[in-house]
Amino acid sequence: MNILTEEIQFGGASLTLTNQRVLYWKSEEMLILSDVHIGKTAHFRQHGIAISDHVLHKDLQRLAELIHYFSPKKLVVVGDLFHAEYNSNITEFKEWLTDYTDLEKVLVKGNHDRIHSMVSEELNFTVLNELMIQNITFKHDVDHADENEFIISGHIHPGVKLKTRGKQYLKLPCYYVNHTELILPAFSLFTGLNTNYDIEKGNIYVFDDEIIFKAK
């Protein structure tokens, strides 16, 4: 897996964006991601849609490589760690976590994180409605931030539509950053991209497996 990085300043902190849909906060030794949606493939199969667990396996393999690369002490998921009710995907995730018993794990609860609290306790995640570290607040979904408030969120699966040759368009995931907000891309590869939001007042950092760049 090719890991590329881009350093930015946000809320007085130095943060590292990556082309692998995670953010690293070096001074806090913290790996940050959002919208993992574990359980989504099994949920689709339960409803008659044949989706392979290959997507989940690839997501977990990517996360394992990122943990190995950055060696964080803390993993923070900014909402939607889970997708639906308890299913076989969550059992697999529980087994995967046995390799990371020393890693502190925090879930900032998202709109999809509705499964019983026992599951989070079994997975050894601390579950919070929001988390504040230094002067940065982590919330899953944010309508707006006050002028002096710095928020890292997820939820909307930000993406951009880039015009290419021959009147063709390419959709890529991105980070959206303005003075008060940093919106994370969805970590799972099994998610859509939302390009229908106002990016006029911020910067976007677009990426794929081979590149990460500031598009605006």
Side-chain angles (χ1 to χ4, degrees):
M1 182 175 72
N2 190 27
I3 300 175
L4 303 174
T5 62
E6 179 79 19
E7 304 297 320
I8 67 167
Q9 297 293 315
F10 178 76
S14 296
L15 304 176
T16 303
L17 309 180
T18 77
N19 67 327
Q20 296 298 333
R21 305 178 182 228
V22 303
L23 173 70
Y24 186 60
W25 191 347
K26 184 176 181 180
S27 67
E28 295 292 331
E29 298 181 273
M30 186 165 67
L31 195 66
I32 305 159
L33 62 156
S34 182
D35 297 279
V36 189
H37 289 281
I38 292 171
K40 189 173 183 178
T41 55
H43 177 74
F44 273 56
R45 287 198 303 276
Q46 289 171 354
H47 290 79
I49 302 173
I51 302 294
S52 169
D53 277 339
H54 174 73
V55 175
L56 173 64
H57 300 160
K58 188 170 183 179
D59 283 345
L60 293 180
Q61 181 181 1
R62 288 168 49 235
L63 185 52
E65 292 185 39
L66 287 159
I67 291 171
H68 176 75
Y69 182 86
F70 287 106
S71 298
K73 291 184 177 179
K74 180 183 288 188
L75 179 72
V76 174
V77 181
V78 192
D80 287 359
L81 172 61
F82 308 114
H83 182 77
E85 68 282 350
Y86 193 104
N87 59 37
S88 60
N89 286 166
I90 297 172
T91 300
E92 181 176 347
F93 180 54
K94 183 178 179 180
E95 294 173 355
W96 180 87
L97 282 171
T98 59
D99 290 335
Y100 305 101
T101 55
D102 293 334
L103 184 64
E104 182 182 353
K105 296 173 282 290
V106 178
L107 169 62
V108 178
K109 193 173 181 181
N111 56 298
H112 278 277
D113 295 314
R114 299 187 295 267
I115 62 177
H116 196 280
S117 60
M118 182 186 301
V119 175
S120 297
E121 292 168 5
E122 290 177 359
L123 299 177
N124 294 316
F125 272 81
T126 300
V127 182
L128 305 169
N129 288 323
E130 64 179 62
L131 169 68
M132 187 168 186
I133 298 178
Q134 295 185 27
N135 65 334
I136 296 178
T137 302
F138 297 85
K139 298 179 181 180
H140 179 59
D141 185 20
V142 180
D143 289 332
H144 70 278
D146 294 334
E147 183 177 351
N148 297 315
E149 186 177 25
F150 302 99
I151 297 177
I152 294 178
S153 65
H155 182 60
I156 69 170
H157 306 180
V160 293
K161 184 186 292 186
L162 301 177
K163 188 175 181 180
T164 62
R165 293 181 178 180
K167 298 183 179 179
Q168 299 295 311
Y169 288 89
L170 177 66
K171 285 186 178 181
L172 292 175
C174 72
Y175 300 83
Y176 170 66
V177 187
N178 65 25
H179 176 66
T180 59
E181 296 177 86
L182 191 162
I183 304 177
L184 297 165
F187 179 75
S188 177
L189 301 176
F190 189 31
T191 56
L193 295 178
N194 176 11
T195 61
N196 298 317
Y197 58 94
D198 184 9
I199 62 172
E200 294 303 318
K201 297 181 180 179
N203 296 313
I204 54 174
Y205 294 84
V206 183
F207 60 88
D208 63 14
D209 286 341
E210 301 297 330
I211 192 169
I212 179 169
F213 64 96
K214 183 177 178 181
K216 178 181 177 297

